[in-house]
Amino acid sequence: KKNIIRNLAARDCYVQVFPSNSTFAQVKKWGPDGILLSNGPGDPAVMRDAVNVIKEFLNHNIPLFGICLGNQLLAEACGISTYKMHHGHRGINHPVKNLVTGKCEITSQNHGFAVNAEEVKKSDKVVVTHVNLNDDTIEGIRVKDKVAFSVQYHPEAAPGPHDASYLFDQFTESMSKVMQHA
């Protein structure tokens, strides 16, 4: 989505867009400071090639930020399954609790798959950061020993709620910290 690029560019990021079937070597050759795993259609459980590339990003400690499908793929890369929801989340005004800040965010959503909550709770790799207040589905995760996090909703939504635009700041700050320690 163009507004993802706008949000990153507004934070002085130089952005390169890669197709979903790009290999780790193709992306790594560009020398990114971070990777944004964007939204898109499809069942994340069958996207094994993308999941394997994300595992390589994690192994190389490249900062990751996932949105929507990117959230689901990050979960899959951490060994957490996803499932097709009976009714997906569509539209704006979905209340999501940020478990880190304790605040409720009003979000824009458009997805039919979700991350398996029981597997996240049992995971030693991932923690829940956001929960949907309507149905308790997982709305965000963070990988414990990596600079990697994701959300199920759309922080770039325009028009729509802007409660979650801080996530782009969080991502760019995490890239800066990693670059300073490199």
Side-chain angles (χ1 to χ4, degrees), residues 18-63:
F18 288 88
S20 63
N21 63 349
S22 297
T23 65
F24 174 77
Q26 290 169 323
V27 177
K28 181 74 171 149
K29 183 178 178 182
W30 189 66
D33 294 324
I35 305 291
L36 188 137
L37 307 169
S38 69
N39 55 307
D43 180 351
V46 299
M47 298 180 181
R48 300 318 318 158
D49 290 342
V51 167
N52 289 332
V53 170
I54 293 166
K55 286 179 182 179
E56 289 192 66
F57 292 143
L58 288 168
N59 288 337
H60 284 81
N61 293 316
I62 299 172

Side-chain angles (χ1 to χ4, degrees), residues 5-19:
I5 296 169
R6 277 190 216 109
N7 272 281
L8 291 171
R11 289 158 175 86
D12 295 325
C13 293
Y14 183 70
V15 178
Q16 172 68 41
V17 177
F18 288 88

Side-chain angles (χ1 to χ4, degrees), residues 72 82-90 109 111-115 132 135 137-139 152:
Q72 299 157 14
T82 54
Y83 64 93
K84 184 167 179 52
M85 302 170 77
H86 187 267
H87 295 290
H89 293 163
R90 314 272 181 226
Q109 302 197 18
H111 63 97
F113 291 87
V115 173
N132 188 295
D135 63 7
T137 54
I138 302 295
E139 291 283 348
Q152 186 58 61

Side-chain angles (χ1 to χ4, degrees), residues 40-176:
D43 180 351
V46 299
M47 298 180 181
R48 300 318 318 158
D49 290 342
V51 167
N52 289 332
V53 170
I54 293 166
K55 286 179 182 179
E56 289 192 66
F57 292 143
L58 288 168
N59 288 337
H60 284 81
N61 293 316
I62 299 172
L64 295 174
F65 174 27
I67 295 174
C68 198
L69 177 63
N71 177 63
Q72 299 157 14
L73 291 172
L74 181 59
E76 290 275 348
C78 292
I80 298 180
S81 68
T82 54
Y83 64 93
K84 184 167 179 52
M85 302 170 77
H86 187 267
H87 295 290
H89 293 163
R90 314 272 181 226
I92 59 173
N93 298 331
H94 287 264
V96 170
K97 184 172 183 177
N98 180 325
L99 300 177
V100 177
T101 66
K103 294 181 180 179
C104 178
E105 300 169 9
I106 302 304
T107 67
S108 175
Q109 302 197 18
N110 185 23
H111 63 97
F113 291 87
V115 173
N116 185 313
E118 291 307 311
E119 290 180 24
V120 172
K121 290 173 186 169
K122 293 176 185 175
S123 174
D124 61 349
K125 293 182 181 178
V126 173
V127 294
V128 177
T129 59
H130 296 76
V131 176
N132 188 295
L133 292 176
N134 287 332
D135 63 7
D136 292 325
T137 54
I138 302 295
E139 291 283 348
I141 60 173
R142 179 181 56 79
V143 181
K144 288 182 181 179
D145 62 342
K146 306 289 181 184
V147 183
F149 64 95
S150 58
V151 291
Q152 186 58 61
Y153 53 91
H154 293 274
E156 82 288 355
H162 299 279
D163 292 12
S165 63
Y166 71 89
L167 290 162
F168 290 98
D169 296 327
Q170 183 178 322
F171 179 54
T172 55
E173 288 167 11
S174 70
M175 286 189 292
S176 292

